[in-house]
Coordinates of all heavy atoms in Angstrom, one line a residue:
M1 N 201.1 -7.9 -44.4 CA 200.9 -7.9 -45.8 C 199.8 -9.0 -46.1 O 200.0 -10.2 -45.8 CB 202.2 -8.3 -46.5 CG 202.1 -8.3 -48.0 SD 203.7 -8.5 -48.7 CE 203.3 -8.6 -50.4
S2 N 198.7 -8.6 -46.6 CA 197.6 -9.6 -46.7 C 197.6 -10.3 -48.1 O 197.1 -11.4 -48.2 CB 196.3 -8.8 -46.5 OG 196.1 -7.8 -47.4
E3 N 198.1 -9.6 -49.1 CA 198.0 -10.2 -50.4 C 199.3 -11.1 -50.6 O 200.3 -10.9 -49.9 CB 197.8 -9.2 -51.5 CG 198.8 -8.0 -51.5 CD 198.4 -6.9 -52.4 OE1 197.4 -6.3 -52.2 OE2 199.1 -6.8 -53.4
K4 N 199.2 -11.9 -51.6 CA 200.4 -12.8 -51.9 C 201.5 -12.0 -52.5 O 201.3 -10.9 -53.1 CB 200.0 -13.7 -53.1 CG 199.3 -15.0 -52.6 CD 199.1 -15.9 -53.8 CE 198.3 -17.1 -53.5 NZ 198.2 -18.0 -54.7
L5 N 202.7 -12.5 -52.2 CA 203.9 -11.9 -52.8 C 203.9 -12.1 -54.3 O 203.4 -13.1 -54.8 CB 205.1 -12.7 -52.2 CG 206.5 -12.1 -52.2 CD1 206.5 -10.8 -51.4 CD2 207.4 -13.1 -51.6
K6 N 204.2 -11.1 -55.0 CA 204.3 -11.2 -56.5 C 205.7 -11.2 -56.9 O 206.5 -10.2 -56.7 CB 203.5 -10.0 -57.1 CG 203.7 -9.8 -58.6 CD 202.6 -10.6 -59.3 CE 202.7 -10.2 -60.8 NZ 202.0 -11.0 -61.7
V7 N 206.1 -12.2 -57.6 CA 207.5 -12.4 -58.0 C 207.6 -12.6 -59.5 O 206.8 -13.3 -60.1 CB 208.1 -13.7 -57.2 CG1 209.6 -13.9 -57.6 CG2 208.0 -13.6 -55.7
L8 N 208.7 -12.0 -60.1 CA 208.9 -12.2 -61.5 C 210.2 -12.9 -61.7 O 211.2 -12.6 -61.1 CB 209.0 -10.8 -62.2 CG 207.7 -10.0 -62.2 CD1 208.0 -8.7 -63.0 CD2 206.5 -10.7 -62.7
A9 N 210.2 -13.8 -62.7 CA 211.4 -14.5 -63.2 C 211.6 -14.0 -64.6 O 210.7 -14.2 -65.5 CB 211.2 -16.0 -63.2
V10 N 212.7 -13.3 -64.8 CA 212.9 -12.6 -66.1 C 214.0 -13.1 -66.9 O 215.1 -13.4 -66.4 CB 213.2 -11.1 -65.8 CG1 213.4 -10.3 -67.0 CG2 212.0 -10.5 -65.0
C11 N 213.8 -13.3 -68.2 CA 214.8 -13.6 -69.2 C 214.5 -12.8 -70.5 O 213.6 -12.0 -70.5 CB 214.9 -15.1 -69.5 SG 213.6 -15.8 -70.5
G12 N 215.3 -13.0 -71.5 CA 215.2 -12.2 -72.7 C 213.8 -12.2 -73.3 O 213.2 -11.2 -73.7
F13 N 213.2 -13.4 -73.5 CA 212.0 -13.5 -74.2 C 210.8 -14.0 -73.3 O 209.7 -14.2 -73.8 CB 212.1 -14.5 -75.4 CG 213.0 -14.0 -76.4 CD1 214.3 -14.5 -76.6 CD2 212.7 -12.9 -77.2 CE1 215.2 -14.0 -77.6 CE2 213.5 -12.4 -78.2 CZ 214.8 -13.0 -78.4
G14 N 211.1 -14.3 -72.0 CA 210.0 -14.7 -71.1 C 209.6 -16.1 -71.3 O 208.5 -16.5 -70.8
I15 N 210.4 -16.9 -72.0 CA 210.1 -18.4 -72.1 C 211.3 -19.1 -71.5 O 211.8 -18.8 -70.5 CB 209.7 -18.7 -73.5 CG1 210.6 -18.1 -74.6 CG2 208.3 -18.4 -73.8 CD1 210.3 -18.4 -76.0
G16 N 211.8 -20.2 -72.1 CA 213.0 -20.9 -71.7 C 213.5 -20.7 -70.3 O 213.0 -21.3 -69.4
T17 N 214.6 -20.0 -70.2 CA 215.2 -19.9 -68.9 C 214.4 -19.3 -67.8 O 214.5 -19.8 -66.6 CB 216.6 -19.1 -69.0 OG1 216.3 -17.8 -69.6 CG2 217.6 -19.8 -69.7
S18 N 213.5 -18.4 -68.1 CA 212.7 -17.8 -67.0 C 211.7 -18.8 -66.5 O 211.3 -18.8 -65.4 CB 212.0 -16.5 -67.4 OG 211.1 -16.7 -68.5
L19 N 211.2 -19.7 -67.4 CA 210.3 -20.8 -67.0 C 211.0 -21.7 -66.0 O 210.4 -22.1 -65.0 CB 209.7 -21.5 -68.2 CG 208.7 -22.6 -67.9 CD1 207.5 -22.1 -67.1 CD2 208.3 -23.3 -69.2
M20 N 212.2 -22.1 -66.3 CA 213.0 -23.0 -65.4 C 213.2 -22.3 -64.1 O 213.0 -22.9 -63.0 CB 214.4 -23.3 -66.0 CG 214.4 -24.4 -67.0 SD 216.1 -24.9 -67.3 CE 216.9 -23.4 -67.8
L21 N 213.5 -21.0 -64.1 CA 213.7 -20.2 -62.9 C 212.4 -20.1 -62.1 O 212.4 -20.3 -60.9 CB 214.3 -18.8 -63.2 CG 214.6 -17.9 -62.1 CD1 215.6 -18.5 -61.1 CD2 215.1 -16.6 -62.6
K22 N 211.3 -19.9 -62.8 CA 210.0 -19.8 -62.1 C 209.7 -21.1 -61.3 O 209.3 -21.0 -60.2 CB 208.9 -19.5 -63.2 CG 207.5 -19.6 -62.6 CD 206.5 -19.6 -63.7 CE 205.1 -19.5 -63.1 NZ 204.3 -20.6 -63.4
M23 N 209.9 -22.2 -62.0 CA 209.6 -23.5 -61.3 C 210.5 -23.7 -60.1 O 210.0 -24.2 -59.0 CB 209.7 -24.6 -62.3 CG 208.7 -24.6 -63.4 SD 208.6 -26.0 -64.5 CE 210.3 -26.1 -65.2
N24 N 211.7 -23.3 -60.1 CA 212.6 -23.5 -59.0 C 212.3 -22.5 -57.9 O 212.4 -22.8 -56.7 CB 214.1 -23.4 -59.4 CG 214.4 -24.7 -60.2 OD1 213.9 -25.7 -60.0 ND2 215.3 -24.5 -61.2
I25 N 211.9 -21.3 -58.3 CA 211.5 -20.3 -57.2 C 210.3 -20.8 -56.5 O 210.2 -20.7 -55.3 CB 211.2 -18.9 -57.9 CG1 212.5 -18.2 -58.5 CG2 210.5 -18.0 -56.9 CD1 212.2 -17.1 -59.4
E26 N 209.3 -21.3 -57.3 CA 208.1 -21.9 -56.6 C 208.4 -23.0 -55.7 O 207.9 -23.1 -54.6 CB 207.1 -22.4 -57.7 CG 206.5 -21.3 -58.5 CD 205.6 -21.7 -59.7 OE1 205.9 -22.8 -60.2 OE2 204.7 -21.0 -60.0
T27 N 209.4 -23.9 -56.0 CA 209.8 -24.9 -55.1 C 210.4 -24.4 -53.9 O 210.1 -24.8 -52.8 CB 210.9 -25.8 -55.9 OG1 210.2 -26.4 -57.0 CG2 211.4 -27.0 -54.9
V28 N 211.3 -23.4 -54.0 CA 211.9 -22.8 -52.8 C 210.9 -22.1 -51.9 O 210.9 -22.3 -50.7 CB 213.0 -21.8 -53.2 CG1 213.5 -20.9 -52.0 CG2 214.2 -22.5 -53.9
L29 N 209.9 -21.4 -52.5 CA 208.9 -20.7 -51.7 C 208.0 -21.8 -51.0 O 207.7 -21.6 -49.8 CB 208.1 -19.8 -52.6 CG 208.8 -18.6 -53.2 CD1 207.9 -17.9 -54.2 CD2 209.3 -17.7 -52.2
K30 N 207.6 -22.8 -51.7 CA 206.8 -23.8 -51.1 C 207.5 -24.5 -50.0 O 206.9 -24.7 -48.9 CB 206.4 -24.9 -52.2 CG 205.5 -25.9 -51.7 CD 205.1 -26.9 -52.8 CE 204.2 -28.0 -52.2 NZ 203.9 -29.0 -53.2
N31 N 208.8 -24.8 -50.1 CA 209.6 -25.4 -49.1 C 209.7 -24.5 -47.8 O 210.0 -25.0 -46.7 CB 211.0 -25.8 -49.6 CG 211.0 -26.9 -50.6 OD1 210.0 -27.6 -50.7 ND2 212.1 -27.1 -51.3
N32 N 209.6 -23.2 -48.0 CA 209.6 -22.3 -46.9 C 208.3 -21.8 -46.5 O 208.2 -20.8 -45.8 CB 210.5 -21.1 -47.3 CG 212.0 -21.5 -47.3 OD1 212.6 -21.5 -46.3 ND2 212.6 -21.8 -48.5
S33 N 207.2 -22.4 -47.0 CA 205.8 -22.0 -46.7 C 205.5 -20.6 -47.0 O 204.8 -19.9 -46.2 CB 205.5 -22.3 -45.2 OG 205.8 -23.7 -44.9
I34 N 206.0 -20.1 -48.1 CA 205.7 -18.7 -48.5 C 204.7 -18.8 -49.7 O 205.0 -19.5 -50.7 CB 207.0 -18.0 -49.0 CG1 208.1 -18.0 -47.9 CG2 206.7 -16.6 -49.5 CD1 207.8 -17.1 -46.8
E35 N 203.6 -18.1 -49.5 CA 202.6 -18.1 -50.6 C 203.0 -16.9 -51.6 O 203.2 -15.8 -51.1 CB 201.2 -17.8 -50.1 CG 200.6 -19.1 -49.6 CD 199.1 -18.9 -49.4 OE1 198.4 -18.3 -50.2 OE2 198.6 -19.3 -48.3
A36 N 203.1 -17.2 -52.9 CA 203.4 -16.2 -53.8 C 202.9 -16.6 -55.2 O 202.7 -17.7 -55.5 CB 205.0 -16.0 -53.9
E37 N 202.7 -15.5 -56.0 CA 202.4 -15.7 -57.4 C 203.7 -15.4 -58.1 O 204.3 -14.4 -58.0 CB 201.4 -14.7 -57.8 CG 201.0 -14.7 -59.3 CD 200.1 -13.6 -59.7 OE1 199.5 -12.9 -58.9 OE2 200.1 -13.3 -60.9
V38 N 204.2 -16.5 -58.9 CA 205.5 -16.3 -59.6 C 205.1 -16.4 -61.1 O 204.4 -17.2 -61.5 CB 206.4 -17.5 -59.2 CG1 207.8 -17.2 -59.9 CG2 206.6 -17.6 -57.7
E39 N 205.6 -15.4 -61.8 CA 205.4 -15.3 -63.2 C 206.7 -15.2 -64.0 O 207.6 -14.5 -63.6 CB 204.5 -14.0 -63.5 CG 204.0 -13.9 -64.9 CD 203.0 -12.7 -65.0 OE1 202.5 -12.2 -64.0 OE2 202.9 -12.2 -66.1
N40 N 206.8 -15.9 -65.1 CA 208.0 -15.8 -65.9 C 207.6 -14.8 -67.0 O 206.5 -14.8 -67.6 CB 208.5 -17.1 -66.5 CG 207.4 -17.9 -67.2 OD1 206.4 -18.2 -66.7 ND2 207.7 -18.2 -68.5
I41 N 208.5 -13.9 -67.4 CA 208.2 -12.8 -68.2 C 209.5 -12.3 -69.0 O 210.6 -12.5 -68.5 CB 207.5 -11.7 -67.4 CG1 206.9 -10.6 -68.3 CG2 208.5 -11.1 -66.4 CD1 205.9 -9.7 -67.5
D42 N 209.3 -11.6 -70.1 CA 210.4 -11.1 -70.8 C 210.9 -9.8 -70.2 O 210.1 -9.1 -69.4 CB 210.0 -10.8 -72.3 CG 209.0 -9.8 -72.4 OD1 207.8 -10.1 -72.3 OD2 209.4 -8.6 -72.7
I43 N 212.1 -9.4 -70.5 CA 212.7 -8.2 -69.8 C 212.0 -6.9 -70.1 O 211.8 -6.1 -69.2 CB 214.2 -8.2 -70.2 CG1 214.9 -7.1 -69.4 CG2 214.4 -7.9 -71.7 CD1 216.4 -7.2 -69.4
T44 N 211.5 -6.7 -71.3 CA 210.8 -5.5 -71.6 C 209.5 -5.3 -70.8 O 209.2 -4.3 -70.3 CB 210.4 -5.5 -73.1 OG1 211.7 -5.7 -73.9 CG2 209.9 -4.1 -73.6
S45 N 208.7 -6.4 -70.7 CA 207.5 -6.4 -70.0 C 207.7 -6.2 -68.5 O 206.9 -5.6 -67.7 CB 206.7 -7.6 -70.2 OG 206.4 -7.8 -71.6
A46 N 208.8 -6.8 -68.0 CA 209.1 -6.8 -66.6 C 209.2 -5.4 -66.0 O 208.8 -5.2 -64.9 CB 210.4 -7.6 -66.3
V47 N 209.8 -4.5 -66.8 CA 210.0 -3.1 -66.3 C 208.7 -2.5 -66.0 O 208.6 -1.7 -65.0 CB 210.8 -2.3 -67.3 CG1 210.9 -0.9 -66.9 CG2 212.2 -2.9 -67.5
A48 N 207.6 -2.8 -66.7 CA 206.3 -2.2 -66.5 C 205.4 -2.9 -65.5 O 204.4 -2.4 -65.1 CB 205.6 -2.1 -67.8
M49 N 205.8 -4.1 -65.1 CA 204.9 -4.9 -64.2 C 205.1 -4.5 -62.7 O 206.2 -4.2 -62.3 CB 205.4 -6.4 -64.3 CG 205.0 -7.1 -65.6 SD 203.2 -7.4 -65.7 CE 203.1 -8.8 -64.5
H50 N 204.0 -4.5 -62.0 CA 204.0 -4.3 -60.6 C 204.4 -5.7 -59.9 O 203.7 -6.7 -60.2 CB 202.6 -3.8 -60.0 CG 202.6 -3.9 -58.6 ND1 203.2 -2.9 -57.8 CD2 202.0 -4.7 -57.7 CE1 203.1 -3.2 -56.5 NE2 202.3 -4.3 -56.4
C51 N 205.4 -5.6 -59.1 CA 205.7 -6.9 -58.4 C 206.5 -6.5 -57.1 O 206.8 -5.3 -56.9 CB 206.6 -7.8 -59.3 SG 208.2 -7.0 -59.7
D52 N 206.8 -7.5 -56.3 CA 207.5 -7.3 -55.0 C 209.0 -7.6 -55.2 O 209.8 -7.0 -54.4 CB 207.0 -8.2 -53.9 CG 205.5 -7.8 -53.6 OD1 205.3 -6.7 -53.2 OD2 204.6 -8.7 -53.8
M53 N 209.4 -8.4 -56.1 CA 210.8 -8.7 -56.4 C 211.0 -9.4 -57.7 O 210.0 -10.0 -58.3 CB 211.4 -9.6 -55.3 CG 210.7 -10.9 -55.1 SD 211.1 -11.8 -53.6 CE 212.9 -11.7 -53.5
I54 N 212.2 -9.3 -58.2 CA 212.5 -9.8 -59.6 C 213.8 -10.7 -59.5 O 214.8 -10.3 -58.9 CB 212.7 -8.7 -60.6 CG1 211.5 -7.9 -60.8 CG2 213.2 -9.3 -61.9 CD1 211.6 -6.6 -61.6
F55 N 213.7 -11.8 -60.1 CA 214.9 -12.7 -60.2 C 215.3 -12.7 -61.7 O 214.4 -12.7 -62.6 CB 214.5 -14.2 -59.9 CG 214.2 -14.4 -58.5 CD1 213.0 -14.1 -57.9 CD2 215.2 -15.0 -57.7 CE1 212.8 -14.4 -56.6 CE2 214.9 -15.3 -56.3 CZ 213.7 -15.0 -55.8
T56 N 216.6 -12.6 -61.9 CA 217.1 -12.7 -63.3 C 218.5 -13.2 -63.3 O 219.1 -13.4 -62.3 CB 216.9 -11.3 -64.0 OG1 217.1 -11.4 -65.4 CG2 217.9 -10.3 -63.4
S57 N 219.0 -13.3 -64.5 CA 220.4 -13.7 -64.7 C 221.4 -12.6 -64.7 O 221.0 -11.4 -64.8 CB 220.5 -14.4 -66.1 OG 220.3 -13.5 -67.1
S58 N 222.7 -12.9 -64.6 CA 223.7 -11.8 -64.6 C 223.6 -11.0 -65.9 O 223.8 -9.8 -66.0 CB 225.1 -12.4 -64.5 OG 225.2 -13.0 -63.3
E59 N 223.2 -11.7 -67.0 CA 223.1 -11.1 -68.3 C 222.1 -9.9 -68.3 O 222.3 -8.9 -69.0 CB 222.6 -12.2 -69.3 CG 222.5 -11.7 -70.7 CD 221.9 -12.8 -71.6 OE1 221.7 -14.0 -71.2 OE2 221.7 -12.5 -72.8
F60 N 221.0 -10.1 -67.6 CA 220.0 -9.1 -67.6 C 219.9 -8.2 -66.4 O 219.3 -7.2 -66.3 CB 218.6 -9.7 -67.8 CG 218.5 -10.4 -69.1 CD1 218.4 -11.8 -69.2 CD2 218.6 -9.7 -70.3 CE1 218.3 -12.5 -70.4 CE2 218.5 -10.4 -71.6 CZ 218.4 -11.7 -71.6
Y61 N 220.7 -8.6 -65.4 CA 220.7 -7.8 -64.1 C 221.1 -6.4 -64.4 O 220.4 -5.5 -63.9 CB 221.7 -8.5 -63.1 CG 221.8 -7.8 -61.8 CD1 220.9 -8.1 -60.8 CD2 222.7 -6.8 -61.6 CE1 221.0 -7.5 -59.6 CE2 222.8 -6.1 -60.4 CZ 221.9 -6.5 -59.4 OH 222.0 -5.8 -58.1
D62 N 222.2 -6.1 -65.1 CA 222.7 -4.8 -65.3 C 221.7 -3.9 -66.1 O 221.5 -2.7 -65.9 CB 224.1 -4.8 -66.0 CG 225.1 -5.3 -65.1 OD1 225.0 -5.1 -63.8 OD2 226.1 -5.9 -65.6
E63 N 221.0 -4.6 -67.0 CA 220.0 -3.9 -67.8 C 218.8 -3.5 -67.0 O 218.2 -2.5 -67.2 CB 219.6 -4.8 -69.0 CG 218.8 -4.1 -70.1 CD 218.6 -4.9 -71.3 OE1 219.4 -5.8 -71.6 OE2 217.5 -4.7 -71.9
L64 N 218.5 -4.3 -66.0 CA 217.3 -4.0 -65.2 C 217.5 -3.1 -63.9 O 216.6 -2.4 -63.5 CB 216.7 -5.3 -64.7 CG 215.8 -6.1 -65.7 CD1 215.5 -7.5 -65.1 CD2 214.5 -5.4 -66.0
K65 N 218.7 -3.2 -63.4 CA 219.0 -2.6 -62.1 C 218.6 -1.1 -61.9 O 218.1 -0.7 -60.9 CB 220.4 -2.8 -61.6 CG 221.4 -2.0 -62.4 CD 222.8 -2.3 -61.8 CE 223.8 -1.6 -62.6 NZ 225.2 -1.9 -62.4
D66 N 218.7 -0.3 -63.0 CA 218.4 1.1 -62.9 C 216.9 1.4 -63.4 O 216.5 2.5 -63.3 CB 219.3 1.9 -63.8 CG 220.8 1.8 -63.2 OD1 220.9 1.7 -62.0 OD2 221.7 1.8 -64.1
K67 N 216.2 0.3 -63.8 CA 214.9 0.5 -64.3 C 213.8 0.0 -63.4 O 212.6 0.3 -63.6 CB 214.7 -0.2 -65.6 CG 215.6 0.3 -66.7 CD 215.5 -0.5 -68.0 CE 216.4 0.1 -69.1 NZ 216.4 -0.8 -70.2
V68 N 214.1 -0.6 -62.3 CA 213.1 -1.2 -61.4 C 213.4 -0.7 -59.9 O 214.6 -0.4 -59.6 CB 213.1 -2.7 -61.4 CG1 212.7 -3.2 -62.8 CG2 214.4 -3.3 -60.9
S69 N 212.4 -0.6 -59.2 CA 212.5 -0.1 -57.8 C 212.3 -1.1 -56.7 O 212.3 -0.9 -55.6 CB 211.5 1.1 -57.6 OG 210.2 0.6 -57.8
V70 N 212.1 -2.4 -57.2 CA 212.0 -3.5 -56.3 C 213.3 -4.3 -56.2 O 214.1 -4.1 -57.0 CB 210.8 -4.4 -56.7 CG1 209.5 -3.7 -56.7 CG2 211.1 -5.0 -58.1
P71 N 213.4 -5.1 -55.1 CA 214.6 -5.9 -55.0 C 214.8 -6.8 -56.3 O 213.9 -7.4 -56.8 CB 214.4 -6.8 -53.8 CG 213.4 -6.1 -53.0 CD 212.5 -5.3 -54.0
L72 N 216.1 -6.7 -56.8 CA 216.4 -7.4 -58.0 C 217.5 -8.5 -57.6 O 218.5 -8.1 -57.0 CB 217.0 -6.5 -59.0 CG 217.4 -7.0 -60.4 CD1 216.3 -7.6 -61.1 CD2 218.0 -5.9 -61.2
I73 N 217.2 -9.7 -57.8 CA 218.1 -10.8 -57.4 C 218.8 -11.5 -58.6 O 218.1 -12.0 -59.5 CB 217.3 -11.8 -56.6 CG1 216.7 -11.1 -55.4 CG2 218.2 -13.0 -56.2 CD1 215.8 -12.0 -54.5
R74 N 220.1 -11.4 -58.6 CA 220.9 -12.0 -59.7 C 221.1 -13.5 -59.3 O 221.7 -13.8 -58.3 CB 222.2 -11.3 -59.7 CG 223.1 -11.8 -60.8 CD 224.6 -11.3 -60.7 NE 224.7 -9.9 -60.3 CZ 225.2 -9.0 -61.0 NH1 225.7 -9.2 -62.2 NH2 225.3 -7.7 -60.5
I75 N 220.7 -14.4 -60.2 CA 220.8 -15.8 -60.0 C 221.8 -16.3 -61.1 O 221.6 -16.1 -62.3 CB 219.5 -16.6 -60.2 CG1 218.5 -16.1 -59.1 CG2 219.7 -18.1 -60.1 CD1 218.9 -16.4 -57.7
N76 N 222.9 -16.9 -60.7 CA 223.9 -17.4 -61.6 C 223.5 -18.8 -62.1 O 223.8 -19.1 -63.3 CB 225.3 -17.5 -60.9 CG 225.7 -16.1 -60.5 OD1 225.7 -15.2 -61.3 ND2 226.1 -15.9 -59.2
N77 N 223.0 -19.6 -61.3 CA 222.6 -21.0 -61.7 C 221.1 -21.2 -61.4 O 220.7 -21.4 -60.3 CB 223.4 -22.0 -60.9 CG 223.1 -23.5 -61.3 OD1 222.2 -23.7 -62.0 ND2 223.8 -24.4 -60.7
F78 N 220.3 -21.1 -62.5 CA 218.9 -21.2 -62.4 C 218.4 -22.5 -61.9 O 217.3 -22.7 -61.4 CB 218.2 -21.0 -63.8 CG 218.2 -19.5 -64.2 CD1 219.0 -18.6 -63.7 CD2 217.3 -19.2 -65.3 CE1 218.9 -17.2 -64.1 CE2 217.3 -17.8 -65.7 CZ 218.1 -16.9 -65.1
L79 N 219.3 -23.5 -61.9 CA 218.9 -24.9 -61.5 C 219.2 -25.1 -60.0 O 218.9 -26.1 -59.4 CB 219.6 -25.9 -62.3 CG 219.2 -25.9 -63.8 CD1 220.0 -26.9 -64.6 CD2 217.7 -26.1 -64.0
S80 N 219.8 -24.1 -59.4 CA 220.3 -24.2 -58.0 C 219.2 -23.7 -57.0 O 219.2 -22.5 -56.8 CB 221.6 -23.5 -57.8 OG 221.9 -23.5 -56.4
N81 N 218.4 -24.6 -56.4 CA 217.5 -24.1 -55.4 C 218.2 -23.5 -54.2 O 217.7 -22.6 -53.6 CB 216.6 -25.3 -55.0 CG 215.6 -25.6 -56.1 OD1 215.5 -25.0 -57.1 ND2 214.8 -26.7 -55.9
K82 N 219.4 -24.0 -53.9 CA 220.2 -23.5 -52.8 C 220.5 -22.1 -53.0 O 220.4 -21.2 -52.1 CB 221.4 -24.4 -52.7 CG 222.3 -24.0 -51.5 CD 223.4 -25.0 -51.3 CE 224.1 -24.8 -50.0 NZ 225.3 -24.0 -50.1
E83 N 221.0 -21.7 -54.2 CA 221.4 -20.3 -54.5 C 220.1 -19.4 -54.5 O 220.2 -18.4 -53.9 CB 222.0 -20.2 -55.9 CG 222.3 -18.8 -56.2 CD 222.9 -18.5 -57.6 OE1 223.0 -19.5 -58.4 OE2 223.2 -17.4 -58.0
I84 N 219.0 -19.9 -55.0 CA 217.8 -19.1 -55.0 C 217.4 -18.9 -53.6 O 217.0 -17.8 -53.2 CB 216.7 -19.9 -55.8 CG1 217.0 -19.9 -57.3 CG2 215.3 -19.2 -55.6 CD1 216.2 -20.8 -58.1
E85 N 217.4 -19.9 -52.8 CA 217.0 -19.8 -51.4 C 217.9 -18.9 -50.6 O 217.4 -18.0 -49.8 CB 216.9 -21.2 -50.7 CG 216.4 -21.1 -49.3 CD 216.0 -22.5 -48.7 OE1 216.3 -23.5 -49.4 OE2 215.4 -22.5 -47.7
E86 N 219.2 -19.0 -50.7 CA 220.1 -18.2 -50.0 C 220.0 -16.7 -50.3 O 220.1 -15.8 -49.5 CB 221.6 -18.7 -50.3 CG 221.9 -19.9 -49.6 CD 223.3 -20.5 -49.9 OE1 224.0 -19.9 -50.8 OE2 223.7 -21.5 -49.3
K87 N 219.7 -16.4 -51.6 CA 219.6 -15.0 -52.0 C 218.3 -14.4 -51.8 O 218.1 -13.2 -51.5 CB 220.0 -14.9 -53.5 CG 221.5 -15.1 -53.7 CD 221.9 -15.0 -55.2 CE 223.4 -15.1 -55.4 NZ 223.8 -14.9 -56.8
A88 N 217.2 -15.2 -51.9 CA 215.9 -14.7 -51.8 C 215.3 -14.6 -50.4 O 214.6 -13.7 -50.1 CB 215.0 -15.6 -52.7
M89 N 215.5 -15.6 -49.6 CA 214.8 -15.7 -48.3 C 215.0 -14.5 -47.4 O 214.1 -14.0 -46.8 CB 215.1 -17.0 -47.6 CG 214.4 -18.2 -48.2 SD 212.6 -18.0 -48.6 CE 211.9 -17.7 -47.0
P90 N 216.3 -14.0 -47.3 CA 216.4 -12.8 -46.4 C 215.6 -11.6 -47.0 O 215.0 -10.8 -46.2 CB 217.9 -12.5 -46.5 CG 218.5 -13.7 -46.9 CD 217.5 -14.5 -47.8
I91 N 215.5 -11.4 -48.3 CA 214.7 -10.3 -48.9 C 213.2 -10.6 -48.7 O 212.5 -9.7 -48.4 CB 215.1 -10.2 -50.3 CG1 216.6 -9.7 -50.4 CG2 214.2 -9.2 -51.0 CD1 217.2 -9.8 -51.8
I92 N 212.8 -11.8 -48.9 CA 211.4 -12.1 -48.7 C 210.9 -11.9 -47.3 O 209.9 -11.3 -47.1 CB 211.1 -13.6 -49.2 CG1 211.3 -13.7 -50.7 CG2 209.7 -14.1 -48.7 CD1 211.3 -15.2 -51.2
K93 N 211.7 -12.3 -46.3 CA 211.4 -12.1 -44.9 C 211.3 -10.6 -44.6 O 210.4 -10.2 -43.9 CB 212.4 -12.8 -44.0 CG 212.2 -14.3 -44.1 CD 213.3 -15.0 -43.2 CE 213.0 -16.5 -43.3 NZ 214.1 -17.3 -42.9
E94 N 212.2 -9.8 -45.2 CA 212.2 -8.4 -45.0 C 210.9 -7.8 -45.6 O 210.2 -6.9 -45.0 CB 213.4 -7.7 -45.7 CG 213.7 -6.4 -45.2 CD 215.0 -5.9 -45.9 OE1 216.1 -6.4 -45.5 OE2 214.9 -5.0 -46.7
I95 N 210.5 -8.2 -46.8 CA 209.3 -7.7 -47.4 C 208.0 -8.1 -46.6 O 207.2 -7.3 -46.4 CB 209.2 -8.3 -48.9 CG1 210.2 -7.7 -49.8 CG2 207.8 -8.0 -49.5 CD1 210.3 -8.4 -51.2
L96 N 208.0 -9.4 -46.2 CA 206.8 -9.9 -45.5 C 206.7 -9.4 -44.1 O 205.6 -9.2 -43.6 CB 206.8 -11.4 -45.6 CG 206.6 -12.0 -47.0 CD1 206.6 -13.5 -46.9 CD2 205.2 -11.6 -47.6
F97 N 207.8 -9.2 -43.4 CA 207.7 -9.0 -42.0 C 208.2 -7.6 -41.6 O 208.4 -7.3 -40.4 CB 208.5 -10.1 -41.2 CG 208.0 -11.5 -41.6 CD1 208.8 -12.4 -42.2 CD2 206.7 -11.8 -41.3 CE1 208.3 -13.6 -42.6 CE2 206.2 -13.1 -41.6 CZ 207.0 -14.0 -42.3
D98 N 208.4 -6.7 -42.5 CA 208.9 -5.4 -42.2 C 207.8 -4.5 -41.8 O 206.7 -4.5 -42.2 CB 209.6 -4.8 -43.5 CG 210.5 -3.6 -43.1 OD1 210.7 -3.4 -41.9 OD2 210.9 -2.9 -44.0

């Protein structure tokens, strides 16, 4: 895969919580030497965006799961880099090295 990984952080309006999540995803990716473009976005726009994976809360997971064809990662604690890393890295490795 020659281009950067494209990752979305999704919440209801694409501000607030998704911005926090975006910053923490970027930290986890940087700590794992993964180059990616991470964008925070609202749930309506996320469905139409091309990306490699989507992070969201439990609140929006059920709404998105049948509308997207990329890996969808449910994050319970947006401030937990440990949770983000544990849930994301196996999927990222599969995307990048498959």
Side-chain angles (χ1 to χ4, degrees):
M1 182 172 178
S2 58
E3 52 189 71
K4 275 188 186 178
L5 201 60
K6 171 90 171 166
V7 179
L8 298 181
V10 178
C11 73
F13 295 107
I15 42 180
T17 50
S18 63
L19 181 59
M20 279 192 307
L21 180 57
K22 172 189 186 241
M23 292 187 303
N24 290 328
I25 292 167
E26 288 173 334
T27 299
V28 168
L29 294 173
K30 185 178 179 189
N31 291 344
N32 285 278
S33 302
I34 304 289
E35 280 194 42
E37 177 188 342
V38 184
E39 189 174 337
N40 55 303
I41 195 166
D42 66 278
I43 189 166
T44 307
S45 301
V47 175
M49 288 286 287
H50 169 74
C51 64
D52 296 299
M53 62 193 309
I54 298 173
F55 289 79
T56 194
S57 64
S58 296
E59 181 185 358
F60 298 113
Y61 181 88
D62 290 332
E63 195 173 328
L64 281 169
K65 70 179 179 189
D66 296 326
K67 296 178 182 172
V68 298
S69 58
V70 297
L72 182 62
I73 300 174
R74 180 192 323 240
I75 300 296
N76 298 311
N77 180 354
F78 283 18
L79 301 176
S80 171
N81 287 355
K82 184 175 190 263
E83 179 185 1
I84 293 167
E85 184 165 10
E86 286 174 355
K87 291 182 175 180
M89 287 313 298
I91 294 168
I92 289 170
K93 287 176 180 164
E94 198 175 292
I95 291 169
L96 293 177
F97 305 115
D98 198 12

